[in-house]
Amino acid sequence: MFKTDLLAGRTILITGGGTGLGRAMALRLAGLGAKLFVAGRREGPLTETCQTIRKAGGTAASATCDVRDFGAVEKMIEAAEQAVGRVDTLVNNAAGNFIARTEKLSPNAFRAVTGIVLDGTFHCTLALGRKWIAAAQPGNILNIVTSYAASGSGSGFVVPSACAKAGVLALTRSLAVEWARHRIRVNAIAPGPFPTEGAWSRLMPSAEYEKRAKDSHPMKRFGRQEELADLAAFLLSEQAGYINGECVVIDGGLWLKGAGEFNDLADLPDAAWEMLEQARKRSQ
Ligand code: HXC
Ligand code: NAP
């Protein structure tokens, strides 16, 4: 789909780049010629991702960092510059989420999620954005939100995440305009369900629930990590140079299925449709 040097000369920082979708993006973007820097709280997954990139001939380095702490984010960016040079691209992918009845949440539980998703995204964006503006150099930001942010519906049982991701989407659209004059593009990807250890362990309550989720999906399948990584590669590339402030949903049509009043008719068997059609013809 892409030339293998699509992102040559680029230096990309991915938060949460040691696991799941962040790792998948790191491997794909490195394979397209970018230098990668991945950050997260745990060293093990970050080291593994970097080793995998290097084994494939790419350049990668990492640092541990809790994105909720602005000072730690500034230090992490300094470490990135030392290791891989000036960062020109930021993927705000780190997140926290879990299912819970909202009335059972403590304020600290709410804060744990909004701190990672909204504050963390703002911290990385602010720290790098300031540098780019001061140096009069262009930049590129991609924020990973969710389909329930893009639809505007939010979602019950993941209220801290719904609130935080809505904020990240507002940040995306606001800064796309404010920072366009500094040649900084800001876009978002809104994924539907993509199986990852991090998401599935916290959001899929049972195998039965997972089967039901898959069976009721319009495409009868979940997303593949490569599909999301390819979308990220395109949005970050120069080929997407005029796309700014956009949020691309990648969910196989899932949120639209819930929105269309008659979409549940997809479950009606052909035999029932034929009976309805026969009855209509008889009554004409
Ligand atoms: C209720 C919970 C809880 C749960 C934690 N808490 N888990 N409350 N239900 N399942 C509460 C704790 O009791 C505590 O409150 C507060 O939250 C902070 O908990 P800690 O464990 O101290 O927090 P911390 O170590 O900072 O961990 C943050 C975390 C954790 C968000 C709670 O899950 C995490 O590290 N997640 C990172 C990875 C992740 O979540 N990946 C999934 C992304 S998927 P008290 O009051 O007791 O102190 C995603 C996709 C969504 O976002 C869309 C899918 C289709
Ligand atoms: P994941 O593997 O759990 O990814 C979350 C990453 O964020 C982890 O690498 C984690 O590493 C890092 N992280 C969490 N808290 C952090 C903190 N305080 N500071 C720094 N890093 C932190 O889950 P995923 O499914 O790949 O999710 C990736 C992104 O996709 C998230 O933005 C998520 O909301 C979004 N998304 C996923 C799905 C899905 O179905 N998978 C759907 C919609 C949206 P550490 O724990 O080591 O810090």
Side-chain angles (χ1 to χ4, degrees):
M1 181 176 173
F2 302 120
K3 287 187 179 163
T4 50
D5 64 351
L6 183 80
L7 300 171
R10 299 280 292 275
T11 304
I12 302 177
L13 163 57
I14 304 184
T15 63
T19 64
L21 299 179
R23 179 179 183 277
M25 285 187 278
L27 301 189
R28 182 66 171 131
L29 303 177
L32 293 168
K35 288 194 274 183
L36 259 295
F37 193 83
V38 287
R41 291 167 301 176
R42 289 165 299 151
E43 192 166 351
L46 300 171
T47 305
E48 186 280 329
T49 299
C50 290
Q51 280 168 352
T52 305
I53 290 173
R54 286 193 211 111
K55 262 190 213 148
T59 302
S62 66
T64 55
C65 167
D66 188 328
V67 293
R68 290 173 280 199
D69 176 349
F70 184 63
V73 166
E74 289 191 306
K75 279 201 190 110
M76 177 268 287
I77 290 169
E78 274 168 35
E81 285 171 345
Q82 294 271 319
V84 288
R86 193 187 81 86
V87 174
D88 53 54
T89 301
L90 167 66
V91 181
N92 282 307
N93 165 80
N97 202 356
F98 49 75
I99 47 170
R101 291 168 293 174
T102 304
E103 68 275 20
K104 303 279 181 191
L105 289 175
S106 68
N108 196 34
F110 184 83
R111 199 71 215 150
V113 173
T114 59
I116 301 169
V117 175
L118 183 54
D119 297 8
T121 297
F122 181 70
H123 290 158
C124 296
T125 302
L126 180 68
L128 272 170
R130 275 179 176 167
K131 279 180 178 279
W132 294 336
I133 291 166
Q137 284 173 325
N140 210 315
I141 299 174
L142 181 63
N143 295 326
I144 308 302
V145 294
T146 60
S147 52
Y148 50 74
S151 67
S153 64
S155 176
F157 305 101
V158 286
V159 163
S161 168
C163 296
K165 294 285 191 182
V168 173
L169 189 54
L171 180 75
T172 305
R173 291 174 171 152
S174 306
L175 281 183
V177 176
E178 187 179 336
W179 283 359
R181 68 204 168 102
H182 298 299
R183 296 181 296 152
I184 297 170
R185 283 198 297 128
V186 192
N187 289 297
I189 290 179
F194 283 73
T196 64
E197 210 272 326
W200 255 227
S201 63
R202 293 174 176 90
L203 300 165
M204 279 294 170
S206 65
E208 192 192 9
Y209 186 90
E210 180 179 355
K211 184 178 179 315
R212 199 146 52 87
K214 195 184 277 183
D215 289 346
S216 65
H217 191 286
M219 295 178 76
K220 310 285 180 215
R221 72 168 176 91
F222 299 127
R224 298 180 187 119
Q225 296 189 8
E226 317 84 74
E227 293 171 327
L228 185 134
D230 278 338
L231 175 59
F234 169 66
L235 287 173
L236 292 174
S237 73
E238 286 308 308
Q239 278 64 24
Y242 201 50
I243 300 179
N244 189 27
E246 188 52 83
C247 176
V248 181
V249 177
I250 178 164
D251 75 343
L254 180 59
W255 89 263
L256 286 169
K257 186 189 178 215
E261 188 177 348
F262 293 98
N263 283 344
D264 283 347
L265 288 175
D267 297 334
L268 205 64
D270 282 347
W273 279 114
E274 274 141 31
M275 277 170 60
L276 283 170
E277 282 157 17
Q278 292 301 330
R280 183 174 58 82
K281 282 179 193 154
R282 277 199 300 275
S283 70
Q284 276 172 349

